[in-house]
Structures are given as structure tokens and as C-alpha cells.
Amino acid sequence: MFETAELGRSVGKEEFEAEVPKLRLELLEAQRELQKAGVPVIVLLAGADGAGKGETVKRVLEWLDARGLDTHAFGAPTDEERDRPRWWRYWMRLPRRGRIGIFFGSWYTDPIVRRAEGTLKRTGFEHRLETIRHFERMLAAGPRAALHAEMHGKGADCGIEHGDAGNIEALAGRAQARAQMVVQNGEH
């Protein structure tokens, strides 16, 4: 479901600022196309604290039409979430058709952290990854677009700032291409 891409192009602040209007317009056009097609979009932001997730979402909220966005933060499960199946907390917050759901935290976080801490053995970790793949296959069975961004930089260096204009341009292009493909193929 999640396509892997290395988007390491970097540009200076002046070039970035010159590209902002074009990039913002492309993202808005992609959002409108996906909205018109009724395609829900999941943006999964995960990574280390201080890696720029908040700065990235702040910029996205400034650039897109916030009326079509939902943001959700996932920390430790609540008592209610622990009483339900593992995927319930995410499933209940999936975006409706034509909306973009931005998820802070991901279904990958818990098994990765537990494995790094040594509280999850290799077999348990592999099992958790297999359940994640199953969950993602269920998500992919519907007409959804998804982007999973793992952020590991420090502060704004990893967010959408002047050094990441290539990332934004690539994401806008991919989002717009996906929106057009969905509309053309009638995937909604």
C-alpha cells in the first residue's frame, strides 16, 4: 500500500520561497481532484519526537483547504482503545470519502519501540509486522490513497521547509497524478 521513495533533493530558501505559490496550487488542485472523486487519503506521519511532524502538518494545514482535513494524534492507547481490537483506534478515524486524514503516530510505532526496548522478541515483532501488512491490505482493498512519512531529522530540518522543496514538489506531483488516475479509472 505504501510506496517507498527517497526524496532527498534539497534547495535553498530563496528558490523554495519562489516555488511556494506553484507548489501550494498543485497541492490544492490535487486535494480538489481527490475530493471530487470521493477518494479518502491517509497521511501517516511517524518518527522521532522533534523530527518536524508538527511543523510539517502546520505547513500542510496552511497550504490546503482545512475544511477537507482531519488530524488525529495517537499516543498510548486509552482504556477504551485497549478494550477493543488493535486496529479499532485507527479504523474509527479513517477519513471519509473526499477527505484527508492526517495521523500523528502510526501503527508501526508500538512494535518498533517495543522491539528497540527489548520488550518484544523477534518472533513477536515479525507477527506484529504481518498483522500490519494484513491491516494495510484491507485498507488498500478500498479506493484510498496513502502516504507514510517517517521523519527522523531534527526540528524543522525534517519538516516542510525551504530545504525540502523537492519533497513537496514530488508529493504534490504524486498526489495530483493519483487524483487524475482515480478519476480516469473510476476508482471511487
Side-chain angles (χ1 to χ4, degrees):
M1 175 175 199
F2 294 110
E3 181 181 322
T4 302
E6 190 65 40
L7 304 172
R9 181 175 166 243
S10 185
V11 298
K13 184 173 185 166
E14 196 172 292
E15 183 181 348
F16 173 78
E17 294 301 331
E19 291 291 318
V20 165
K22 176 183 155 222
L23 296 172
R24 182 167 190 236
L25 182 60
E26 288 177 9
L27 283 171
L28 279 169
E29 288 172 4
Q31 182 184 20
R32 284 191 207 108
E33 289 286 330
L34 289 164
Q35 209 167 29
K36 192 186 315 178
V39 175
V41 177
I42 303 165
V43 178
L44 200 59
L45 289 175
D49 289 342
K53 298 180 299 285
E55 292 91 346
T56 298
V57 170
K58 180 178 181 254
R59 183 65 63 109
V60 167
L61 292 174
E62 289 171 359
W63 285 14
L64 293 176
D65 183 349
R67 295 172 295 181
L69 300 173
D70 300 309
T71 58
H72 305 283
F74 296 98
T78 64
D79 289 340
E80 180 183 21
E81 291 169 341
R82 277 191 290 278
D83 288 342
R84 310 264 183 192
R86 176 169 301 170
W87 306 111
W88 181 83
R89 68 192 307 217
Y90 303 107
W91 197 265
M92 295 304 293
R93 291 170 181 84
L94 290 175
R96 295 186 325 260
R97 290 181 175 267
R99 296 190 63 82
I100 298 172
I102 301 172
F103 290 13
F104 281 97
S106 109
W107 37 82
Y108 290 96
T109 303
D110 182 61
I112 290 171
V113 168
R114 291 188 53 213
R115 179 71 178 139
E117 292 172 342
T119 60
L120 185 62
K121 301 227 182 282
R122 183 178 187 84
T123 55
F125 180 69
E126 289 171 0
H127 174 72
R128 289 286 298 274
L129 292 181
E130 183 54 39
T131 64
I132 289 170
R133 285 189 287 274
H134 178 72
F135 179 65
E136 289 180 350
R137 282 192 294 271
M138 285 191 308
L139 292 176
R144 285 181 191 82
L147 169 67
H148 180 186
E150 284 287 334
M151 304 179 81
H152 300 288
K154 290 189 179 210
D157 292 340
C158 201
I160 298 179
E161 295 295 332
H162 70 274
D164 290 323
N167 294 3
I168 300 165
E169 188 172 2
L171 293 175
R174 285 200 339 232
Q176 197 165 23
R178 174 66 179 150
Q180 290 167 352
M181 183 179 73
V182 166
V183 172
Q184 290 168 357
N185 295 334
E187 294 180 26
H188 57 289

